[in-house]
Amino acid sequence: MDRLTLAHIDEELESSEVDALRFLCQGLVKRKRLEGVKDAKELFVKLEERGLLENPYFLYQLLQTISRADLLSLLETDSRRPEETDANLILSDYRVMLYQIHEDMTKENLDKMKFLLSSKLGKRQIETCNTALDVFVEMEKAGLLSETKLDELHKILLQLDQQQALTVQRYIQRGTQQPQTTLPSHVSMDYQVLCFLPPQPTQPVLSISETQLNVCSDAEPNPGPSPVFDQNDYYILSHNPRGMCVIFNNEDFPGTSLNYRGGSQRDEKTLHQVFEKLGFTVVVHNNLTAESMRRELEKLGKKNFLDDDALVVCMLSHGNKGSVYGTDAQQVFLQDVTKPFTSGQAPTLAGKPKLFFIQACQGSLYQRGYVPCPPRPRQEEEDRESRLEEDAGPVHGETVPHDADFLLGMATVPECKSFRNTSTGSIYIQQLCQELLRSAESSERDDDILTVLTRVNREVSKGEYLNYKQMPEPKYTLTKKLVLKFV
């Protein structure tokens, strides 16, 4: 974010508001580095050092929380779009809750709270507290208050203000509560970020045979022979239901620094509807810890899949490189997600497609748009391929490698963030579902899952989300084409 904008915001903020911003940023920047901050300019420098101002939505959250909506016009308009990332939380619900209690606390109740805590915090510490935020900081230093330790605060507020005590109680018991940092009132929750185009007629794909090159004149086109359909090129889908689609939907991460994933329910509902139409039995697991996720995956891997043609697993959560988070903020590595379903672990799945769709960030970096590189000359491509050699001997007899027949559809490439609309669902999952429906309705035999994911890549990469890009990434060891149609 440009320094001129930050300077304008600094000029408009009062010292009490800077103190509030400093409090909200604790946990993101070390407390000692924040203690010497006197004005917003110094705070912005600390935030820039942590890379927290790369996304203008973070500053938008801060200003919205302290009720300075009048300054939002200084930010770029895209920062007001209802999108989030599935990376670690930027602004915690815990601190927003404490700030709201501070805002609603009367001077009389503040004095009473200081009196009730004087024996536990010490007279000198209490005397330096001018606001409830100061008291909360001293309580944290003394180990009386944290994201998972709110009993002392709740007990005191019960004696001061029943409504504020209820605010804390709701936070403790939060199960399906929406995050307390919300969209501005002028943005509709039904706002659709992506303008989806209706399906266009599929254009024929032209290819050059490795054994024969047909040359046609421009005046007299020659379509050539029709391709011969070979059943051996396709996975067989003959059972009804086709198999299981298991959805892990982690929305709420109480007691952690991970944000509530608004919009994830829409993803779960859309996936449920699409895969039911495609003939799968859908099972949903909501808000599981990492250990519970691993346990459910291992249990699923032990199932008898003789009457199943395929398996689909969808994971909707926060994530980091090579992993997704349970609701306890513990990592489940992707290799542990797929391991129970290798042919060695699940022999009745051998030779059958196993699809995994992962909606989660894979790092903390943002992708930007770049001018595409010119295509590599064909001759250079052929020369490069001619230098390739095999490093393995021939295989005799038909076998199935343990890691064959997997497809891993990632919402984003490694190291980068993915985006989610808090109203309409995540960018990747919603586009995936749209393309799966389009493919299921298509009469094209070769409209297989890789074609679907290529379209997803193209459509998602076209958009801009909070001024950044997103590039999904499919990885696969499929040995045949997989075509999913309605049952």
Side-chain angles (χ1 to χ4, degrees):
M1 184 171 296
D2 68 276
R3 292 296 181 90
L4 184 59
T5 298
L6 297 178
H8 287 328
I9 294 173
D10 169 68
E11 291 172 358
E12 297 293 329
L13 293 174
E14 299 176 2
S15 59
S16 60
E17 292 171 325
V18 174
D19 291 339
L21 293 177
R22 191 173 60 207
F23 176 82
L24 291 168
C25 290
Q26 288 191 28
L28 302 171
V29 181
K30 290 182 179 179
R31 180 180 283 119
K32 283 188 176 181
R33 293 184 60 79
L34 291 173
E35 285 179 351
V37 170
K38 301 300 182 185
D39 56 35
K41 292 195 295 293
E42 292 181 41
L43 177 61
F44 294 151
V45 170
K46 304 296 183 185
L47 296 177
E48 282 182 328
E49 290 172 353
R50 296 281 295 151
L52 294 170
L53 294 186
E54 292 179 6
N55 181 357
Y57 184 66
F58 173 56
L59 186 53
Y60 159 78
Q61 281 185 304
L62 286 173
L63 295 176
Q64 181 78 358
T65 301
I66 65 170
S67 302
R68 288 305 304 266
D70 59 309
L71 298 179
L72 298 181
S73 61
L74 297 175
L75 304 178
E76 297 177 10
T77 56
D78 278 350
S79 67
R80 299 195 297 270
R81 291 162 63 175
E83 295 166 356
E84 296 178 353
T85 72
D86 278 319
N88 290 4
L89 171 67
I90 294 178
L91 193 56
S92 79
D93 288 347
Y94 162 71
R95 296 212 168 268
V96 171
M97 175 200 65
L98 294 180
Y99 175 77
Q100 290 178 342
I101 291 173
H102 150 78
E103 280 285 274
D104 296 334
M105 185 168 288
T106 64
K107 179 65 167 64
E108 181 183 1
N109 281 344
L110 173 61
D111 291 339
K112 289 179 180 179
M113 182 169 67
K114 291 168 63 175
F115 175 76
L116 292 171
L117 285 167
S118 58
S119 61
K120 296 182 178 180
L121 296 182
K123 183 178 178 180
R124 185 177 64 84
Q125 284 78 4
I126 282 293
E127 288 177 349
T128 61
C129 295
N130 297 315
T131 67
L133 295 182
D134 296 333
V135 175
F136 297 152
V137 170
E138 292 300 327
M139 290 179 69
E140 288 177 329
K141 289 179 180 179
L144 298 175
L145 180 64
S146 71
E147 292 185 12
T148 57
K149 194 172 185 180
L150 292 155
D151 292 346
E152 185 69 30
L153 177 61
H154 184 246
K155 183 173 67 175
I156 291 173
L157 291 177
L158 283 172
Q159 302 176 60
L160 304 179
D161 189 319
Q162 292 289 327
Q163 190 61 40
Q164 290 195 327
L166 183 60
T167 299
V168 176
Q169 184 176 340
R170 285 173 177 166
Y171 175 84
I172 295 172
Q173 297 175 343
R174 181 171 57 113
T176 58
Q177 185 179 356
Q178 293 289 333
Q180 299 184 43
T181 50
T182 58
L183 300 175
S185 58
H186 62 274
V187 177
S188 168
M189 289 299 290
D190 291 326
Y191 174 68
Q192 181 73 21
V193 172
L194 299 177
C195 297
F196 293 128
L197 298 175
Q200 299 297 320
T202 305
Q203 297 297 322
V205 178
L206 303 179
S207 62
I208 299 177
S209 168
E210 292 181 352
T211 58
Q212 182 179 3
L213 178 63
N214 294 324
V215 181
C216 305
S217 71
D218 291 336
E220 188 178 356
N222 180 6
S226 299
V228 178
F229 172 71
D230 187 349
Q231 185 66 44
N232 293 326
D233 287 342
Y234 293 81
Y235 289 106
I236 297 174
L237 303 179
S238 58
H239 290 88
N240 188 9
R242 300 290 191 228
M244 292 185 66
C245 171
V246 182
I247 302 173
F248 292 85
N249 178 29
N250 287 346
E251 296 177 86
D252 204 12
F253 303 78
T256 74
S257 62
L258 295 174
N259 200 1
Y260 180 90
R261 300 183 61 254
S264 192
Q265 276 285 353
R266 178 64 67 90
D267 283 346
E268 181 266 308
K269 182 178 180 180
T270 307
L271 286 167
H272 197 295
Q273 292 173 340
V274 169
F275 280 100
E276 270 195 344
K277 288 183 178 180
L278 296 175
F280 288 82
T281 300
V282 180
V283 176
V284 179
H285 298 293
N286 285 308
N287 296 318
L288 297 185
T289 64
E291 182 58 36
S292 295
M293 292 172 70
R294 284 189 285 265
R295 188 162 52 246
E296 289 296 336
L297 289 166
E298 291 170 3
K299 179 181 175 182
L300 179 63
K302 294 176 181 177
K303 179 182 179 294
N304 186 335
F305 294 97
L306 279 176
D307 293 329
D308 292 22
D309 297 323
L311 172 69
V312 178
V313 176
C314 305
M315 292 203 156
L316 317 173
S317 188
H318 288 295
N320 211 327
K321 185 178 180 182
S323 68
V324 295
Y325 285 112
T327 56
D328 54 353
Q330 299 300 307
Q331 290 177 295
V332 178
F333 292 99
L334 296 183
Q335 61 190 28
D336 295 328
V337 172
T338 59
K339 185 178 178 181
F341 309 102
T342 61
S343 56
Q345 297 288 327
T348 54
L349 271 177
K352 300 177 181 180
K354 297 161 278 280
L355 314 182
F356 294 80
F357 298 107
I358 312 296
Q359 171 55 45
C361 285
Q362 288 298 294
S364 58
L365 300 181
Y366 289 96
Q367 290 183 310
R368 298 183 181 274
Y370 297 95
V371 177
C373 297
R376 180 181 292 181
R378 181 172 180 81
Q379 184 61 47
E380 180 184 338
E381 193 71 34
E382 293 173 349
D383 291 344
R384 182 181 65 84
E385 292 179 357
S386 68
R387 295 193 294 270
L388 300 179
E389 297 180 353
E390 294 182 356
D391 279 330
V395 177
H396 300 286
E398 182 144 351
T399 61
V400 179
H402 283 190
D403 296 316
D405 306 299
F406 278 87
L407 183 144
L408 192 63
M410 305 295 297
T412 184
V413 295
E415 311 286 356
C416 291
K417 297 187 178 186
S418 60
F419 292 89
R420 171 176 32 80
N421 186 300
T422 56
S423 173
T424 60
S426 65
I427 308 303
Y428 173 70
I429 292 296
Q430 293 299 316
Q431 189 67 44
L432 170 67
C433 290
Q434 180 180 343
E435 297 300 339
L436 284 170
L437 292 176
R438 173 183 173 184
S439 173
E441 295 169 347
S442 171
S443 60
E444 293 292 328
R445 190 185 298 274
D446 283 345
D447 211 14
D448 68 332
I449 190 66
L450 297 185
T451 302
V452 168
L453 293 179
T454 300
R455 290 196 194 112
V456 173
N457 281 2
R458 180 173 65 247
E459 295 305 318
V460 172
S461 65
K462 284 180 182 178
E464 285 196 8
Y465 318 103
L466 302 177
N467 287 332
Y468 297 100
K469 306 291 283 185
Q470 180 174 329
M471 185 68 243
E473 180 184 36
K475 306 173 184 179
Y476 66 95
T477 58
L478 298 180
T479 57
K480 299 180 181 182
K481 294 181 180 180
L482 175 63
V483 178
L484 299 174
K485 299 293 183 182
F486 295 140
V487 174

